[in-house]
Amino acid sequence: MKFAELAIRNFKEMLRDPMHMGLEIGIPAGFLAIFWALGRSMGGESFFTTTMLVPGIAVFGFAFLLMFSAMTLSRDRESALLSRLLTAPLKPRDFILSYSLPYIPMVVLQIAVCFGIGALLGLEMPGNAGLAFLVLLVMGICSVELGMILGLLFNVNQASAVGSVIITLVALLGGIWIDIEAIGGVFYGIGNALPFAHAIDAARYAMIGAGFSSIATDFYWVLGYTVVFFALGTFLFRWRMVE
Amino acid sequence: MSYGTNGNRFAIQTFSLSRKFGDLVAVDGIDLSIKEGELFSLLGPNGAGKTTAIKMLCCLLRPSSGTATVMGRDIHEDPMAVKQIIDVSPQETAIAEYLNAWENLSLIGGIRGLAKEEVKKRSEELLEMVGLAKRAKEQVRKFSGGMKRRLSIAMALVSDPQVLFLDEPTLGLDPQSRRGIWEHIAELKGKKTIVLTTHYLEEADALADRIAIIDEGKIVALGTPQELKDSISDMQVMVVKAKNLPPDVIEGLKEIYPEVKTTDDGIEIGAKELSFYEIVDYLRPRGVAIQSTSLKQPTLDDVFLHLTGKELRE
Ligand SMILES: Nc1ncnc2c1ncn2[C@@H]1O[C@H](COP(=O)(O)OP(=O)(O)OP(=O)(O)O)[C@@H](O)[C@H]1O
Ligand SMILES: [Mg+2]
């Protein structure tokens, strides 16, 4: 496990950068509180119930993780450090793992924060919290693997721009605040092709009591994307390894 | 082709190694054989292709044509095997800014597969050597440029590789730190193969077993420091200490003697045959106040100027 040391370094860099912790935890927490308050003041049958909001905002938080992981890898690619590390006998897969594994604790933390704040705001999970957690966990990993791809394709500035676009896309097409099925058309088509809406839906259903079999399609949809993103990231890393 | 493993101990061999960037030929058909345990220096002016050559040998750049072997392993066919036995101190400082010095060394030790105990022991020695032992627990982004540089070099030494590439290791260091690094490199001499690029001729002169002078991607001379100096032993070098030496006068003098080098307090003129009077008669009427003239033995600097027409330091 030669890559462990590099994964630890990347984890430490993340912890030691206050921006990271602030945004990655602050954004889901803040958005959750704001939209919950909005839902309350609208009253009646609002879309903004905790059951609807918690999975959506968790996934929204992952989009920030996606952007940060992309920027970290991209910044390192431009530095002499990564080219030094590339002279070590590590495989492309090792590099991708050491840049994405450190984000998994962050994914878990984000989900925990969303669940925790959700609980404070009255979230009830009559269904399977563990299953909802699992779906979100895979979605979080999927986001980070997509971040790897962006980090390999773009420089830091581009990665942050593309990251912002993706954050917006997730917000619009993920079905976080609006019911994309009700809108239909191209909007729904794109949203439905991407993994985000599937993860959010599956987590919502799991929270209110759906079993695995009824969310299996959504779950595998997300898992499929994760595997594809990881493979593509590894392929791109190999391509970037020698100029 | 004879590889290092079958008796003929070459640590590095290059075969018409070339690299283009667009139309620019950065490395142009280099053929080198570097012996095991040799300290080999690549000397050349800015943009000569030294870093490009080293990056190809470290499997970071793909050759446009030709190839090379490191301890018998082809850099193109078997990069993983090459990476197992090398380490490099890149020209640019290459450190993890948010880690402390200690953690930076552990990072390299870790990815190179060293045991924890080994890393700890070597890190202690190396931090001592580069004078950072007292600041080992500070995040290195707070270090000065020279301190970062010294750490960057130490990182190349953690894994104790068979083949070590040092790309301008002492660039920008104060004389004292530079001497410290030299001493360490001198200690490694003979124990491992080292390829060193440098702008400091005294560095190559003091440390290298052999020197290759590289210019515009080509090797223009190759030999021991003494051989290179001997190659121009029939040359004379006149040292002129003078005040008030405008650039256009120096340019004019170059038309008579092409190899003119400016120094801190005057010029040095190299040529097979020098006429003292011709030089003085040229300079005096142009308002140059000559303080003294003398002859000296050619140095590597003069070899360099002679072969490339360029001065080594910018
Ligand atoms: N990635 C690159 N893309 C385009 N051109 C490059 C690239 N890397 C190097 N070059 C060019 O190749 C030539 C050789 O560069 P190289 O860095 O190898 O020189 P060098 O001998 O190391 O010089 P220095 O002493 O300044 O470090 C230069 O003209 C440089 O501009
Ligand atoms: Mg260079």
Side-chain angles (χ1 to χ4, degrees), chain B residues 301-314:
Chain B
D301 252 310
D302 304 304
V303 178
F304 195 84
L305 181 65
H306 179 69
L307 288 166
T308 66
K310 293 173 188 136
E311 286 184 50
L312 198 50
R313 263 169 258 171
E314 55 277 47

Side-chain angles (χ1 to χ4, degrees), chain A residues 2-3 5-6 9 12-13 16-17 80-81 83-92 239 241-243, chain B residues 19 59-62 80 83 88 90 92 94-96 98-99 103 106-107 110-112 139 152 155-156:
Chain A
K2 285 180 183 169
F3 68 86
E5 204 62 44
L6 180 56
R9 173 261 173 177
K12 284 181 182 159
E13 294 246 331
R16 289 172 190 179
D17 185 354
L81 178 70
S83 86
R84 150 173 255 155
L85 299 177
L86 285 172
T87 66
L90 297 188
K91 298 199 166 68
W239 165 67
M241 216 159 164
V242 245
E243 284 170 60
Chain B
R19 173 68 198 215
C59 314
L60 290 174
L61 275 178
R62 204 173 277 123
M80 279 298 162
K83 290 176 182 190
V88 57
E92 288 169 72
I95 55 177
Y98 280 86
L99 299 185
E103 290 167 329
S106 303
L107 169 61
I111 62 166
R112 297 226 169 248
Q139 280 187 28
S152 186
M155 285 162 75

